[in-house]
Amino acid sequence: ELKHRIAGCILSDNKKRYKFYRMYERCYKLFNRRDTQKVGCISMYYYMDTEIWQRKWFDGMQMMKFEDTEIAGPIQYDSILRQSFGDYMTPAMAPSQHGDVFFDLEHDYREYYNGMRSFSQEDCIL
């Protein structure tokens, strides 16, 4: 999809990435208002249609048990999760959003990151 290719081009170059994030920060500060009816996550651009919520859903917080710990969460967490993920209470087999898993215990990860080393699809654990 075009927006993924554009983001990939911007974010793969360190200078472009820095410039992009500085512009993003300036825009974010311009619109950080408290008198809106909606709030949202704008950093994950491909999820924007599901990550704009009613501000009132965040009006109160409560402590909730999550696995072996307690965390603070919005009182209207169910509304937020249903809008973002649909039927979030039903387990689903879904692909990872992070891509394939690749382990190389013999080489420093920076060799891959800096392009000095590459891997093929066959190297990935599926």
Side-chain angles (χ1 to χ4, degrees), residues 60-99:
M61 300 296 280
Q62 66 182 1
M63 294 305 292
M64 300 183 292
K65 187 144 181 71
F66 179 75
E67 294 183 358
D68 63 347
T69 190
E70 280 196 81
I71 59 170
I75 290 183
Q76 294 292 326
Y77 71 90
D78 183 67
S79 299
I80 296 163
L81 292 173
R82 287 196 185 281
Q83 180 172 314
S84 296
F85 303 108
D87 184 11
Y88 71 95
M89 294 298 288
T90 302
M93 291 295 293
S96 170
Q97 295 177 6
H98 303 290

Side-chain angles (χ1 to χ4, degrees), residues 15-27:
K15 288 182 182 180
K16 289 178 185 174
R17 182 173 48 232
Y18 177 78
K19 187 176 180 179
F20 173 77
Y21 283 123
R22 296 291 299 156
M23 179 184 71
Y24 174 82
E25 281 291 314
R26 285 194 300 273
C27 290

Side-chain angles (χ1 to χ4, degrees), residues 2-12 45:
L2 180 60
K3 64 183 175 183
H4 293 278
R5 281 188 271 160
I6 292 171
C9 291
I10 292 171
L11 300 179
S12 64
Y45 65 93

Side-chain angles (χ1 to χ4, degrees), residues 43-121:
S43 63
M44 303 298 276
Y45 65 93
Y46 40 87
Y47 293 121
M48 285 184 99
D49 56 337
T50 61
E51 295 200 5
I52 296 178
W53 308 285
Q54 298 294 318
R55 177 178 285 281
K56 65 184 177 183
W57 292 351
F58 295 89
D59 281 348
M61 300 296 280
Q62 66 182 1
M63 294 305 292
M64 300 183 292
K65 187 144 181 71
F66 179 75
E67 294 183 358
D68 63 347
T69 190
E70 280 196 81
I71 59 170
I75 290 183
Q76 294 292 326
Y77 71 90
D78 183 67
S79 299
I80 296 163
L81 292 173
R82 287 196 185 281
Q83 180 172 314
S84 296
F85 303 108
D87 184 11
Y88 71 95
M89 294 298 288
T90 302
M93 291 295 293
S96 170
Q97 295 177 6
H98 303 290
D100 296 321
V101 177
F102 175 73
F103 294 96
D104 182 348
L105 303 178
E106 305 292 322
H107 301 95
D108 190 305
Y109 77 93
R110 289 173 286 205
E111 293 179 29
Y112 293 97
Y113 185 77
N114 293 328
M116 298 183 305
R117 186 174 292 282
S118 63
F119 63 92
S120 68
Q121 189 70 24

